[in-house]
Amino acid sequence: MSLVAVRGVTKTFASTSEAVTPIADLDFTVEQGEFVCLMGPSGSGKTTLLHLLAGIDRPTRGSVHVAGEDVAALSPSALARWRTRAIGYVFQTYNLIPVLTAYENVEVPLLLLRLSRAQRAQKVATALAAVALTDRAHHLPRQLSGGQQQRVAIARAIVADRPFVLADEPTGNLDRQAATATMELLRRLVAEFGKTLIMVTHDPLAAQAADRVVHLDKGRIVDGASHA
Ligand SMILES: Nc1ncnc2c1ncn2[C@@H]1O[C@H](COP(=O)(O)OP(=O)(O)OP(=O)(O)O)[C@@H](O)[C@H]1O
Ligand SMILES: [Mg+2]
């Protein structure tokens, strides 16, 4: 069975004066251990699709199964537990907690697990080192550059070693060197650590690292909906 199975999914936002349907009757599968890159113009529904996969939003129609769970059917508390166990998420807008240092932001997902303070410290140190931010551990987000904040968000997504990583333009704010290092890190998550990765990117170079590129346009997949 596929790790991700999206069947006939439509997402409509009706809250605004005019209803918006960023995802329209979408079918999409991802296999365990795949590195899938999601591309498409701004507004084509990429972030909306990641939100549906992580259970941040619910589909208006259709079903979203991830690792055997019917994501849309989980209660809010079950969803929170499942996400803690299963998903590392790099948000497009980082979503760092402004009053916590880089170290403390990265530590947050570990607070939900049964770990000693020393075990947490070791994992946070490893994750910060992986994004080359050891020397910024005790800075607040507002004391970091945009690219550094993005790397903190990546460290937070990988620190708890969860099997499924969703990354929304994780290199969008990085210079070429940092972007290359980040892509190498993400590629190793899949190749060496067996993670499954879905990454949104506008960067054709970043997309070259993926096993498969899925092209979205106006909420529909125009290419690459499933593994060949
Ligand atoms: N909560 C919401 N309420 C109303 N409309 C929304 C909401 N979230 C997203 N949309 C709309 O859905 C469409 C798709 O948005 P989405 O964020 O998925 O695009 P995207 O492909 O990630 O674009 P970008 O490359 O700019 O990040 C847009 O037209 C957006 O305005
Ligand atoms: Mg987006």
Side-chain angles (χ1 to χ4, degrees), residues 86-149:
I87 292 191
Y89 198 113
V90 184
F91 290 92
Q92 185 167 12
T93 49
Y94 317 149
N95 292 7
L96 300 178
I97 300 170
V99 296
L100 299 184
T101 64
Y103 181 99
E104 291 162 342
N105 266 287
V106 175
E107 189 182 29
V108 166
L110 301 179
L111 298 174
L112 304 164
L113 306 173
R114 287 168 189 273
L115 294 171
S116 70
R117 194 186 175 83
Q119 286 170 318
R120 289 201 304 272
Q122 200 205 341
K123 285 180 185 291
V124 173
T126 303
L128 283 173
V131 295
L133 275 182
T134 303
D135 60 338
R136 291 292 185 278
H138 301 295
H139 291 238
L140 294 169
R142 67 177 161 77
Q143 298 167 327
L144 297 169
S145 72
Q148 288 167 341
Q149 290 177 48

Side-chain angles (χ1 to χ4, degrees), residues 104-208:
E104 291 162 342
N105 266 287
V106 175
E107 189 182 29
V108 166
L110 301 179
L111 298 174
L112 304 164
L113 306 173
R114 287 168 189 273
L115 294 171
S116 70
R117 194 186 175 83
Q119 286 170 318
R120 289 201 304 272
Q122 200 205 341
K123 285 180 185 291
V124 173
T126 303
L128 283 173
V131 295
L133 275 182
T134 303
D135 60 338
R136 291 292 185 278
H138 301 295
H139 291 238
L140 294 169
R142 67 177 161 77
Q143 298 167 327
L144 297 169
S145 72
Q148 288 167 341
Q149 290 177 48
Q150 185 153 44
R151 279 144 62 200
V152 174
I154 292 165
R156 181 180 59 184
I158 65 174
V159 72
D161 205 26
R162 288 164 293 197
F164 186 28
V165 179
L166 300 171
D168 202 345
E169 296 191 41
T171 61
N173 221 336
L174 304 181
D175 62 35
R176 180 50 66 196
Q177 192 188 348
T180 303
T182 299
M183 282 317 304
E184 179 59 19
L185 173 69
L186 292 174
R187 209 190 48 72
R188 283 183 53 212
L189 285 182
V190 178
E192 285 176 35
F193 299 97
K195 312 286 180 198
T196 306
L197 171 63
I198 301 182
M199 179 183 78
V200 172
T201 187
H202 289 286
D203 180 355
L205 268 183
Q208 276 180 10

